[in-house]
């Protein structure tokens, strides 16, 4: 994968293949902490503890149902190469949450890439699911809801090529505006943490350990 | 670059439905299906850009086809893979598809019914 957005697409397809009806993707960029956090939350069939434990093992696969493959190990590797990590939290029958975080300024960090194309691909592949996207850059937030888009599009499918084109332009524009607002000042050293969150327990997402930045 | 520009609002999507809704029902029911491999191998090889090119071409040429995705089918080395299935016909698989190849595949195969043989890597007879 050349972009984080491609990893996200891949992980999100795992969710679709796990039968998710709701899929939430969160990308959080925090300059002060020098961190990018990616979270993919689904209500798919989930994994039992043993499957979840082995999900980032490249030599483990549930090929017949394709719930996991090389995708998770590749994102885990990309995260670990950038002083980050990936955790899998899953419950059989309830869903799966994948959280990955990376040091934003790391020399090996892949670019964010074309998130609009990733979202449009997901929407075109599964126009009926409730996809939610939230992208935060230093507390500024952009949110998108496929359910809301469906409401507005009425009887027209979100998979319609004309709608896909419109959505791509809309998402591109919004995400570009969000990125442009990113401060250009040199990164301030994070006073309260070493830059990478310490996640001792699988169930504790990295953001829980961080001071909340609201504005 | 600092001038204020009005961004598109999601509400503008309403306007689009007038133009688009007329053909979508037939589109779903149409005989042509385009299937793009979107497994890890497909995505790593550029399937997302192929999907984008397909949607753009269908939009530009106003072609009715149902676009869908499939996971890894085991031909990872030939990704991105793109299949075209037309009513009553065989399933034709194209390998190593690039966004640049998409317009020709769509115009020759879908519009003229002539598969681009030099890029075909597989053919499966339809059971339907």
């Amino acid at each position: 994968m050349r972009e984080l957005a491609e990893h996200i697409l891949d992980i999100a397809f795992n969710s679709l293949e796990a039968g998710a009806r709701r899929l939430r993707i969160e990308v959080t960029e925090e300059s002060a902490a020098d961190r990018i956090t990616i979270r993919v939350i689904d209500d798919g069939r989930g994994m039992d503890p043993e499957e979840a434990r082995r999900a980032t093992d490249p030599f483990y696969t549930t090929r017949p149902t394709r719930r996991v493959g090389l995708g998770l190990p590749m994102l885990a590797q990309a995260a670990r190469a950038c002083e980050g990590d990936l955790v899998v939290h899953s419950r059989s029958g309830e869903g799966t949450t994948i959280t990955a975080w990376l040091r934003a300024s790391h020399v090996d960090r892949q670019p964010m890439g074309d998130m609009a194309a990733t979202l449009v691909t997901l929407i075109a592949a599964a126009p009926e699911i409730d996809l939610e996207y939230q992208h935060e850059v230093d507390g500024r937030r952009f949110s998108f809801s496929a359910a809301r888009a469906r409401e507005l599009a009425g009887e027209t499918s979100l998979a319609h090529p004309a709608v896909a084109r419109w959505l791509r332009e809309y998402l591109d524009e919004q995400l570009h505006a969000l990125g442009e607002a990113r401060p250009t000042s040199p990164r301030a050293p994070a006073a309260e943490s070493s830059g990478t969150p310490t996640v001792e327990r699988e169930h504790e997402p990295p953001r829980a350990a961080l001071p909340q930045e609201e504005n | 670059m600092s001038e204020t520009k009005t961004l598109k609002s999601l509400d503008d999507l309403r306007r689009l439905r007038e133009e688009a809704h007329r053909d979508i029902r037939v589109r779903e029911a149409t005989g042509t299906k385009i299937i793009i491999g979107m497994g890890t191998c497909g995505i790593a090889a550029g399937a997302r850009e192929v999907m984008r090119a397909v949607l753009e071409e269908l939009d530009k040429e106003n072609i009715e086809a149902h676009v869908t995705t499939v996971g890894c089918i085991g031909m990872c080395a030939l990704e991105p893979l793109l299949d075209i299935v037309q009513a009553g016909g065989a399933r034709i698989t194209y390998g190593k598809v690039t966004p640049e190849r998409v317009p020709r595949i769509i115009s020759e195969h879908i519009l003229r019914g002539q598969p681009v043989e030099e890029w075909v890597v597989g053919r499966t007879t339809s059971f339907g």
Side-chain angles (χ1 to χ4, degrees):
Chain A
M1 305 289 171
R2 293 151 297 188
E3 308 173 352
L4 294 177
E6 285 183 323
H7 284 286
I8 294 171
L9 179 62
D10 190 25
I11 302 306
F13 262 102
N14 285 347
S15 299
L16 298 185
E17 283 169 13
R21 303 300 303 165
R22 292 177 58 94
L23 173 59
R24 182 174 170 82
I25 300 171
E26 297 173 358
V27 175
T28 309
E29 301 184 48
E30 297 160 294
S31 304
D34 191 17
R35 178 173 45 233
I36 297 175
T37 308
I38 293 163
R39 188 169 294 158
V40 178
I41 306 155
D42 73 49
D43 67 348
R45 74 174 78 86
M47 294 176 269
D48 63 34
E50 175 60 13
E51 283 179 301
R53 192 182 65 74
R54 301 182 68 184
T56 55
D57 173 357
F59 301 108
Y60 174 75
T61 175
T62 57
R63 187 59 73 182
T65 48
R66 298 181 203 282
R67 265 177 294 178
V68 286
L70 273 176
L72 274 175
M74 279 167 67
L75 178 55
Q77 188 188 36
R80 287 170 195 150
C82 299
E83 297 173 39
D85 209 346
L86 178 146
V87 291
V88 178
H89 176 52
S90 190
R91 260 174 222 261
S92 200
E94 289 180 22
T96 300
T97 297
I98 304 294
T99 307
W101 63 98
L102 314 83
R103 186 170 153 196
S105 67
H106 198 285
V107 66
D108 290 329
R109 203 259 294 167
Q110 292 166 317
M112 196 66 226
D114 194 346
M115 253 333 283
T118 283
L119 293 170
V120 168
T121 301
L122 281 168
I123 294 166
E128 71 292 350
I129 73 149
D130 287 340
L131 170 72
E132 285 176 11
Y133 181 67
Q134 178 183 291
H135 195 131
E136 233 177 273
V137 177
D138 293 333
R140 287 175 308 279
R141 182 179 296 173
F142 166 69
S143 302
F144 170 81
S145 152
R148 175 73 184 136
R150 265 201 309 274
E151 232 175 83
L152 294 167
E155 54 284 274
T156 306
S157 167
L158 296 186
H160 189 291
V163 177
R165 171 174 43 90
W166 189 91
L167 283 172
R168 195 176 56 243
E169 287 167 5
Y170 166 74
L171 292 165
D172 251 344
E173 213 174 80
Q174 295 287 338
L175 291 170
H176 190 69
L178 191 70
E180 272 186 350
R182 186 183 282 114
T184 48
S185 57
R187 183 167 38 86
E192 76 293 338
S193 82
S194 61
T196 42
T198 23
V199 180
E200 311 283 352
R201 286 151 294 171
E202 262 203 9
H203 309 291
E204 187 174 320
R207 276 180 67 202
L210 302 173
Q212 291 300 307
E213 288 177 283
E214 280 305 327
N215 301 312
Chain B
M1 299 304 274
S2 60
E3 75 201 63
T4 318
K5 192 178 138 203
T6 314
L7 297 182
K8 272 195 180 65
S9 149
L10 194 58
D11 288 343
D12 299 338
L13 194 49
R14 272 211 191 91
R15 260 180 256 151
L16 202 64
R17 64 198 268 192
E18 308 292 313
E19 307 163 25
H21 89 267
R22 287 185 297 262
D23 62 337
I24 191 58
R25 270 161 297 197
V26 275
R27 188 182 297 272
E28 298 274 341
T30 191
T32 303
K33 201 167 162 185
I34 300 175
I35 307 155
I36 299 165
M38 206 60 76
T40 302
C41 45
I43 294 168
R48 189 187 61 181
E49 276 56 51
V50 170
M51 168 76 116
R52 179 182 173 149
V54 166
L55 289 170
E56 279 175 2
E57 200 59 22
L58 295 178
D59 184 36
K60 205 165 78 191
E61 301 292 326
N62 203 20
I63 298 167
E64 289 172 5
H66 184 47
V67 182
T68 179
T69 57
V70 68
C72 171
I73 58 161
M75 292 205 286
C76 308
L78 292 175
E79 295 278 3
L81 292 166
L82 182 153
D83 292 10
I84 296 179
V85 191
Q86 287 181 302
R91 175 171 174 159
I92 309 284
T93 303
Y94 291 95
K96 298 192 185 245
V97 178
T98 60
E100 293 73 33
R101 288 182 174 187
V102 167
R104 186 172 155 206
I105 293 172
I106 287 182
S107 76
E108 291 186 20
H109 189 147
I110 296 183
L111 294 182
R112 275 181 261 149
Q114 300 286 322
V116 186
E117 297 295 343
E118 62 202 277
W119 298 336
V120 171
V121 296
R123 210 176 228 100
T124 318
T125 309
S126 167
F127 298 101

